[in-house]
Amino acid sequence: MAEQPGRVERAVSSVLDNASRLQAPAVEKYVWRLRRAHPEESPQQIVTRLEKLFLGAVTSSGGAAGATAAIPGVGTVASIAAVGGETAFFLEAAALLTLSVASVHGIAVTDHDRRKALVLAVALGDSGKEIVQRSLGRTGNVGKMLSAGIPGGANLSGLNKRLITKFVQKFAARRGAVMLGTMLPAGIGAAVGGAGNRALGKTVITNAREAFGPPPAAWPDASAPPVEPPR
């Protein structure tokens, strides 16, 4: 039993590694497609759409195949058995929401470890912000702190380890309660799972809003992108 926390931490880390790698190329295109479909909408309105898509997907993720189809870039990962398919889906969807909102804010997080830290910090909320502030010796919102230069790779590596440990302690416990609820008899379990996922999803949305602050008033290019991002 003593090895269990380490195993869970490694599994969560693996899920987030895959999520941030797979979704990084998809994020720009995902946001671009929403802007193209709704060229009259402001950054705030697009963020609201991103939030609704995320919340709808995680609420209905009891049917993983249907939920996955709702958000592009969310796929199956090798560690799915270690943390549970629905939990892996939730983490991947949360990663896509975080990186998409960052994109709307004009924050391009190209470094993999920095993307991972951003996703974890947003998922954790205030406790994640405190860890980032202590590790980097900075203040401000999480998006700005992590988009600035990181003082040394060792700091970033240590930051991610601390964030993952806290994430497992806080998020996995809450997620475990939701998963136990889904084991109730048919119908009741589905309702509990959907309601639990929705509550957790709302927490992630609130955390993302606090992590990035208000979206820009207007798009930098003042119009929808004229060409599709590279494949």
Side-chain angles (χ1 to χ4, degrees), residues 16-30 72-73 95-96 99-100 103 109-112 115 229-230:
L16 291 170
D17 281 342
N18 280 278
S20 57
R21 284 195 186 100
L22 292 173
Q23 291 170 355
V27 167
E28 185 181 357
K29 187 175 291 187
Y30 181 35
L96 181 59
L99 297 175
S100 297
S103 177
V109 187
T110 57
D111 177 77
H112 168 64
R115 287 197 303 270

PDB file of all heavy atoms in Angstrom, residues 16-30 72-73 95-96 99-100 103 109-112 115 229-230:
ATOM      1  N   LEU A  16      -1.415  13.518 -18.074  1.00  0.00           N
ATOM      2  CA  LEU A  16      -1.213  14.935 -18.400  1.00  0.00           C
ATOM      3  C   LEU A  16      -0.118  15.128 -19.435  1.00  0.00           C
ATOM      4  O   LEU A  16      -0.192  16.025 -20.272  1.00  0.00           O
ATOM      5  CB  LEU A  16      -0.898  15.716 -17.122  1.00  0.00           C
ATOM      6  CG  LEU A  16      -2.074  15.842 -16.150  1.00  0.00           C
ATOM      7  CD1 LEU A  16      -1.617  16.413 -14.823  1.00  0.00           C
ATOM      8  CD2 LEU A  16      -3.167  16.715 -16.748  1.00  0.00           C
ATOM      9  N   ASP A  17       0.927  14.293 -19.387  1.00  0.00           N
ATOM     10  CA  ASP A  17       1.967  14.349 -20.407  1.00  0.00           C
ATOM     11  C   ASP A  17       1.363  14.134 -21.791  1.00  0.00           C
ATOM     12  O   ASP A  17       1.608  14.893 -22.732  1.00  0.00           O
ATOM     13  CB  ASP A  17       3.033  13.284 -20.159  1.00  0.00           C
ATOM     14  CG  ASP A  17       4.028  13.681 -19.082  1.00  0.00           C
ATOM     15  OD1 ASP A  17       4.103  14.885 -18.787  1.00  0.00           O
ATOM     16  OD2 ASP A  17       4.700  12.792 -18.545  1.00  0.00           O
ATOM     17  N   ASN A  18       0.569  13.080 -21.913  1.00  0.00           N
ATOM     18  CA  ASN A  18      -0.053  12.763 -23.197  1.00  0.00           C
ATOM     19  C   ASN A  18      -1.048  13.829 -23.607  1.00  0.00           C
ATOM     20  O   ASN A  18      -1.110  14.219 -24.774  1.00  0.00           O
ATOM     21  CB  ASN A  18      -0.752  11.399 -23.110  1.00  0.00           C
ATOM     22  CG  ASN A  18       0.209  10.236 -23.257  1.00  0.00           C
ATOM     23  OD1 ASN A  18       0.572   9.854 -24.358  1.00  0.00           O
ATOM     24  ND2 ASN A  18       0.643   9.690 -22.138  1.00  0.00           N
ATOM     25  N   ALA A  19      -1.834  14.303 -22.654  1.00  0.00           N
ATOM     26  CA  ALA A  19      -2.839  15.310 -22.971  1.00  0.00           C
ATOM     27  C   ALA A  19      -2.214  16.576 -23.519  1.00  0.00           C
ATOM     28  O   ALA A  19      -2.634  17.101 -24.543  1.00  0.00           O
ATOM     29  CB  ALA A  19      -3.671  15.623 -21.723  1.00  0.00           C
ATOM     30  N   SER A  20      -1.181  17.083 -22.845  1.00  0.00           N
ATOM     31  CA  SER A  20      -0.586  18.344 -23.284  1.00  0.00           C
ATOM     32  C   SER A  20       0.178  18.179 -24.595  1.00  0.00           C
ATOM     33  O   SER A  20       0.229  19.094 -25.415  1.00  0.00           O
ATOM     34  CB  SER A  20       0.319  18.931 -22.203  1.00  0.00           C
ATOM     35  OG  SER A  20       1.331  18.024 -21.840  1.00  0.00           O
ATOM     36  N   ARG A  21       0.773  16.996 -24.817  1.00  0.00           N
ATOM     37  CA  ARG A  21       1.469  16.769 -26.086  1.00  0.00           C
ATOM     38  C   ARG A  21       0.485  16.664 -27.251  1.00  0.00           C
ATOM     39  O   ARG A  21       0.663  17.272 -28.298  1.00  0.00           O
ATOM     40  CB  ARG A  21       2.303  15.487 -26.011  1.00  0.00           C
ATOM     41  CG  ARG A  21       3.583  15.618 -25.218  1.00  0.00           C
ATOM     42  CD  ARG A  21       4.524  14.447 -25.488  1.00  0.00           C
ATOM     43  NE  ARG A  21       5.691  14.494 -24.637  1.00  0.00           N
ATOM     44  CZ  ARG A  21       5.847  13.777 -23.531  1.00  0.00           C
ATOM     45  NH1 ARG A  21       4.885  12.950 -23.148  1.00  0.00           N
ATOM     46  NH2 ARG A  21       6.933  13.877 -22.808  1.00  0.00           N
ATOM     47  N   LEU A  22      -0.576  15.860 -27.055  1.00  0.00           N
ATOM     48  CA  LEU A  22      -1.519  15.626 -28.141  1.00  0.00           C
ATOM     49  C   LEU A  22      -2.340  16.865 -28.458  1.00  0.00           C
ATOM     50  O   LEU A  22      -2.688  17.114 -29.604  1.00  0.00           O
ATOM     51  CB  LEU A  22      -2.456  14.466 -27.767  1.00  0.00           C
ATOM     52  CG  LEU A  22      -1.823  13.086 -27.673  1.00  0.00           C
ATOM     53  CD1 LEU A  22      -2.830  12.080 -27.139  1.00  0.00           C
ATOM     54  CD2 LEU A  22      -1.310  12.630 -29.036  1.00  0.00           C
ATOM     55  N   GLN A  23      -2.644  17.662 -27.427  1.00  0.00           N
ATOM     56  CA  GLN A  23      -3.540  18.781 -27.651  1.00  0.00           C
ATOM     57  C   GLN A  23      -2.845  20.058 -28.099  1.00  0.00           C
ATOM     58  O   GLN A  23      -3.484  20.932 -28.667  1.00  0.00           O
ATOM     59  CB  GLN A  23      -4.346  19.039 -26.370  1.00  0.00           C
ATOM     60  CG  GLN A  23      -5.327  17.933 -26.081  1.00  0.00           C
ATOM     61  CD  GLN A  23      -5.961  18.056 -24.712  1.00  0.00           C
ATOM     62  OE1 GLN A  23      -5.607  18.925 -23.929  1.00  0.00           O
ATOM     63  NE2 GLN A  23      -6.903  17.180 -24.419  1.00  0.00           N
ATOM     64  N   ALA A  24      -1.556  20.153 -27.865  1.00  0.00           N
ATOM     65  CA  ALA A  24      -0.853  21.378 -28.236  1.00  0.00           C
ATOM     66  C   ALA A  24      -1.066  21.750 -29.707  1.00  0.00           C
ATOM     67  O   ALA A  24      -1.401  22.898 -30.005  1.00  0.00           O
ATOM     68  CB  ALA A  24       0.631  21.248 -27.915  1.00  0.00           C
ATOM     69  N   PRO A  25      -0.915  20.822 -30.674  1.00  0.00           N
ATOM     70  CA  PRO A  25      -1.146  21.191 -32.064  1.00  0.00           C
ATOM     71  C   PRO A  25      -2.616  21.457 -32.369  1.00  0.00           C
ATOM     72  O   PRO A  25      -2.937  22.164 -33.328  1.00  0.00           O
ATOM     73  CB  PRO A  25      -0.656  19.964 -32.848  1.00  0.00           C
ATOM     74  CG  PRO A  25       0.160  19.175 -31.894  1.00  0.00           C
ATOM     75  CD  PRO A  25      -0.436  19.439 -30.551  1.00  0.00           C
ATOM     76  N   ALA A  26      -3.530  20.891 -31.554  1.00  0.00           N
ATOM     77  CA  ALA A  26      -4.954  21.026 -31.830  1.00  0.00           C
ATOM     78  C   ALA A  26      -5.556  22.300 -31.255  1.00  0.00           C
ATOM     79  O   ALA A  26      -6.594  22.755 -31.728  1.00  0.00           O
ATOM     80  CB  ALA A  26      -5.705  19.816 -31.268  1.00  0.00           C
ATOM     81  N   VAL A  27      -4.916  22.876 -30.263  1.00  0.00           N
ATOM     82  CA  VAL A  27      -5.512  24.010 -29.565  1.00  0.00           C
ATOM     83  C   VAL A  27      -5.740  25.198 -30.479  1.00  0.00           C
ATOM     84  O   VAL A  27      -6.838  25.767 -30.541  1.00  0.00           O
ATOM     85  CB  VAL A  27      -4.644  24.424 -28.357  1.00  0.00           C
ATOM     86  CG1 VAL A  27      -5.073  25.784 -27.819  1.00  0.00           C
ATOM     87  CG2 VAL A  27      -4.745  23.377 -27.258  1.00  0.00           C
ATOM     88  N   GLU A  28      -4.708  25.597 -31.212  1.00  0.00           N
ATOM     89  CA  GLU A  28      -4.826  26.764 -32.090  1.00  0.00           C
ATOM     90  C   GLU A  28      -5.924  26.557 -33.125  1.00  0.00           C
ATOM     91  O   GLU A  28      -6.722  27.453 -33.395  1.00  0.00           O
ATOM     92  CB  GLU A  28      -3.487  27.041 -32.783  1.00  0.00           C
ATOM     93  CG  GLU A  28      -3.497  28.314 -33.626  1.00  0.00           C
ATOM     94  CD  GLU A  28      -2.162  28.559 -34.315  1.00  0.00           C
ATOM     95  OE1 GLU A  28      -1.231  27.771 -34.093  1.00  0.00           O
ATOM     96  OE2 GLU A  28      -2.066  29.529 -35.080  1.00  0.00           O
ATOM     97  N   LYS A  29      -5.964  25.357 -33.699  1.00  0.00           N
ATOM     98  CA  LYS A  29      -6.981  25.067 -34.713  1.00  0.00           C
ATOM     99  C   LYS A  29      -8.375  25.032 -34.088  1.00  0.00           C
ATOM    100  O   LYS A  29      -9.352  25.479 -34.707  1.00  0.00           O
ATOM    101  CB  LYS A  29      -6.671  23.731 -35.388  1.00  0.00           C
ATOM    102  CG  LYS A  29      -7.583  23.423 -36.572  1.00  0.00           C
ATOM    103  CD  LYS A  29      -7.153  22.157 -37.284  1.00  0.00           C
ATOM    104  CE  LYS A  29      -5.826  22.364 -37.990  1.00  0.00           C
ATOM    105  NZ  LYS A  29      -5.453  21.203 -38.821  1.00  0.00           N
ATOM    106  N   TYR A  30      -8.476  24.513 -32.883  1.00  0.00           N
ATOM    107  CA  TYR A  30      -9.758  24.443 -32.183  1.00  0.00           C
ATOM    108  C   TYR A  30     -10.332  25.836 -31.966  1.00  0.00           C
ATOM    109  O   TYR A  30     -11.509  26.109 -32.278  1.00  0.00           O
ATOM    110  CB  TYR A  30      -9.512  23.730 -30.849  1.00  0.00           C
ATOM    111  CG  TYR A  30     -10.713  23.519 -29.968  1.00  0.00           C
ATOM    112  CD1 TYR A  30     -11.975  23.261 -30.492  1.00  0.00           C
ATOM    113  CD2 TYR A  30     -10.572  23.548 -28.583  1.00  0.00           C
ATOM    114  CE1 TYR A  30     -13.065  23.041 -29.657  1.00  0.00           C
ATOM    115  CE2 TYR A  30     -11.653  23.325 -27.747  1.00  0.00           C
ATOM    116  CZ  TYR A  30     -12.898  23.072 -28.289  1.00  0.00           C
ATOM    117  OH  TYR A  30     -13.964  22.847 -27.464  1.00  0.00           O
ATOM    118  N   PRO A  72     -12.565  18.041 -29.965  1.00  0.00           N
ATOM    119  CA  PRO A  72     -11.467  17.439 -30.718  1.00  0.00           C
ATOM    120  C   PRO A  72     -10.181  17.445 -29.912  1.00  0.00           C
ATOM    121  O   PRO A  72      -9.980  18.286 -29.041  1.00  0.00           O
ATOM    122  CB  PRO A  72     -11.339  18.361 -31.938  1.00  0.00           C
ATOM    123  CG  PRO A  72     -11.860  19.681 -31.457  1.00  0.00           C
ATOM    124  CD  PRO A  72     -12.961  19.351 -30.479  1.00  0.00           C
ATOM    125  N   GLY A  73      -9.310  16.490 -30.195  1.00  0.00           N
ATOM    126  CA  GLY A  73      -7.999  16.471 -29.565  1.00  0.00           C
ATOM    127  C   GLY A  73      -7.953  15.682 -28.285  1.00  0.00           C
ATOM    128  O   GLY A  73      -6.900  15.560 -27.674  1.00  0.00           O
ATOM    129  N   ALA A  95      -7.327  19.870 -19.637  1.00  0.00           N
ATOM    130  CA  ALA A  95      -6.101  20.379 -20.255  1.00  0.00           C
ATOM    131  C   ALA A  95      -6.426  21.166 -21.516  1.00  0.00           C
ATOM    132  O   ALA A  95      -5.863  22.247 -21.758  1.00  0.00           O
ATOM    133  CB  ALA A  95      -5.164  19.217 -20.584  1.00  0.00           C
ATOM    134  N   LEU A  96      -7.340  20.661 -22.325  1.00  0.00           N
ATOM    135  CA  LEU A  96      -7.703  21.364 -23.559  1.00  0.00           C
ATOM    136  C   LEU A  96      -8.369  22.694 -23.252  1.00  0.00           C
ATOM    137  O   LEU A  96      -8.093  23.704 -23.906  1.00  0.00           O
ATOM    138  CB  LEU A  96      -8.617  20.489 -24.419  1.00  0.00           C
ATOM    139  CG  LEU A  96      -9.040  21.109 -25.760  1.00  0.00           C
ATOM    140  CD1 LEU A  96      -7.813  21.443 -26.616  1.00  0.00           C
ATOM    141  CD2 LEU A  96      -9.975  20.181 -26.516  1.00  0.00           C
ATOM    142  N   LEU A  99      -5.568  25.208 -22.066  1.00  0.00           N
ATOM    143  CA  LEU A  99      -4.682  25.667 -23.139  1.00  0.00           C
ATOM    144  C   LEU A  99      -5.434  26.508 -24.163  1.00  0.00           C
ATOM    145  O   LEU A  99      -4.873  27.439 -24.752  1.00  0.00           O
ATOM    146  CB  LEU A  99      -4.021  24.463 -23.808  1.00  0.00           C
ATOM    147  CG  LEU A  99      -3.114  23.628 -22.890  1.00  0.00           C
ATOM    148  CD1 LEU A  99      -2.600  22.385 -23.614  1.00  0.00           C
ATOM    149  CD2 LEU A  99      -1.952  24.454 -22.362  1.00  0.00           C
ATOM    150  N   SER A 100      -6.731  26.208 -24.373  1.00  0.00           N
ATOM    151  CA  SER A 100      -7.528  26.998 -25.308  1.00  0.00           C
ATOM    152  C   SER A 100      -7.787  28.401 -24.763  1.00  0.00           C
ATOM    153  O   SER A 100      -7.701  29.394 -25.499  1.00  0.00           O
ATOM    154  CB  SER A 100      -8.854  26.293 -25.602  1.00  0.00           C
ATOM    155  OG  SER A 100      -8.655  25.048 -26.236  1.00  0.00           O
ATOM    156  N   SER A 103      -4.776  30.403 -25.150  1.00  0.00           N
ATOM    157  CA  SER A 103      -4.627  30.859 -26.531  1.00  0.00           C
ATOM    158  C   SER A 103      -5.456  32.111 -26.795  1.00  0.00           C
ATOM    159  O   SER A 103      -4.988  33.054 -27.443  1.00  0.00           O
ATOM    160  CB  SER A 103      -5.042  29.739 -27.495  1.00  0.00           C
ATOM    161  OG  SER A 103      -4.985  30.162 -28.836  1.00  0.00           O
ATOM    162  N   VAL A 109       1.927  28.787 -24.981  1.00  0.00           N
ATOM    163  CA  VAL A 109       2.787  27.977 -24.113  1.00  0.00           C
ATOM    164  C   VAL A 109       3.347  26.831 -24.947  1.00  0.00           C
ATOM    165  O   VAL A 109       2.711  25.798 -25.120  1.00  0.00           O
ATOM    166  CB  VAL A 109       2.017  27.434 -22.897  1.00  0.00           C
ATOM    167  CG1 VAL A 109       2.959  26.753 -21.922  1.00  0.00           C
ATOM    168  CG2 VAL A 109       1.257  28.558 -22.210  1.00  0.00           C
ATOM    169  N   THR A 110       4.543  27.023 -25.490  1.00  0.00           N
ATOM    170  CA  THR A 110       5.120  26.040 -26.408  1.00  0.00           C
ATOM    171  C   THR A 110       5.931  24.967 -25.699  1.00  0.00           C
ATOM    172  O   THR A 110       6.127  23.881 -26.226  1.00  0.00           O
ATOM    173  CB  THR A 110       6.020  26.740 -27.442  1.00  0.00           C
ATOM    174  OG1 THR A 110       7.031  27.492 -26.753  1.00  0.00           O
ATOM    175  CG2 THR A 110       5.196  27.700 -28.299  1.00  0.00           C
ATOM    176  N   ASP A 111       6.408  25.268 -24.503  1.00  0.00           N
ATOM    177  CA  ASP A 111       7.220  24.312 -23.758  1.00  0.00           C
ATOM    178  C   ASP A 111       6.326  23.296 -23.048  1.00  0.00           C
ATOM    179  O   ASP A 111       5.391  23.661 -22.335  1.00  0.00           O
ATOM    180  CB  ASP A 111       8.071  25.074 -22.732  1.00  0.00           C
ATOM    181  CG  ASP A 111       8.893  24.127 -21.868  1.00  0.00           C
ATOM    182  OD1 ASP A 111       9.909  23.618 -22.349  1.00  0.00           O
ATOM    183  OD2 ASP A 111       8.486  23.893 -20.714  1.00  0.00           O
ATOM    184  N   HIS A 112       6.621  22.002 -23.225  1.00  0.00           N
ATOM    185  CA  HIS A 112       5.767  20.942 -22.691  1.00  0.00           C
ATOM    186  C   HIS A 112       5.649  21.001 -21.161  1.00  0.00           C
ATOM    187  O   HIS A 112       4.542  20.924 -20.619  1.00  0.00           O
ATOM    188  CB  HIS A 112       6.309  19.574 -23.109  1.00  0.00           C
ATOM    189  CG  HIS A 112       5.675  18.428 -22.383  1.00  0.00           C
ATOM    190  ND1 HIS A 112       4.337  18.130 -22.520  1.00  0.00           N
ATOM    191  CD2 HIS A 112       6.176  17.528 -21.510  1.00  0.00           C
ATOM    192  CE1 HIS A 112       4.043  17.089 -21.755  1.00  0.00           C
ATOM    193  NE2 HIS A 112       5.147  16.707 -21.129  1.00  0.00           N
ATOM    194  N   ARG A 115       3.448  23.855 -20.115  1.00  0.00           N
ATOM    195  CA  ARG A 115       2.034  23.556 -20.349  1.00  0.00           C
ATOM    196  C   ARG A 115       1.484  22.675 -19.235  1.00  0.00           C
ATOM    197  O   ARG A 115       0.369  22.876 -18.741  1.00  0.00           O
ATOM    198  CB  ARG A 115       1.835  22.851 -21.699  1.00  0.00           C
ATOM    199  CG  ARG A 115       1.999  23.736 -22.906  1.00  0.00           C
ATOM    200  CD  ARG A 115       1.400  23.100 -24.140  1.00  0.00           C
ATOM    201  NE  ARG A 115       1.958  21.786 -24.425  1.00  0.00           N
ATOM    202  CZ  ARG A 115       3.024  21.571 -25.179  1.00  0.00           C
ATOM    203  NH1 ARG A 115       3.670  22.605 -25.703  1.00  0.00           N
ATOM    204  NH2 ARG A 115       3.465  20.356 -25.419  1.00  0.00           N
ATOM    205  N   PRO A 229      -4.820  27.623 -39.465  1.00  0.00           N
ATOM    206  CA  PRO A 229      -3.487  27.333 -38.927  1.00  0.00           C
ATOM    207  C   PRO A 229      -2.887  26.104 -39.613  1.00  0.00           C
ATOM    208  O   PRO A 229      -3.629  25.253 -40.113  1.00  0.00           O
ATOM    209  CB  PRO A 229      -3.758  27.062 -37.446  1.00  0.00           C
ATOM    210  CG  PRO A 229      -5.049  27.724 -37.162  1.00  0.00           C
ATOM    211  CD  PRO A 229      -5.844  27.615 -38.425  1.00  0.00           C
ATOM    212  N   PRO A 230      -1.568  25.980 -39.631  1.00  0.00           N
ATOM    213  CA  PRO A 230      -0.927  24.815 -40.247  1.00  0.00           C
ATOM    214  C   PRO A 230      -1.379  23.528 -39.581  1.00  0.00           C
ATOM    215  O   PRO A 230      -1.658  23.495 -38.394  1.00  0.00           O
ATOM    216  CB  PRO A 230       0.572  25.074 -39.985  1.00  0.00           C
ATOM    217  CG  PRO A 230       0.672  26.521 -39.716  1.00  0.00           C
ATOM    218  CD  PRO A 230      -0.607  26.933 -39.073  1.00  0.00           C
TER     219      PRO A 230
END
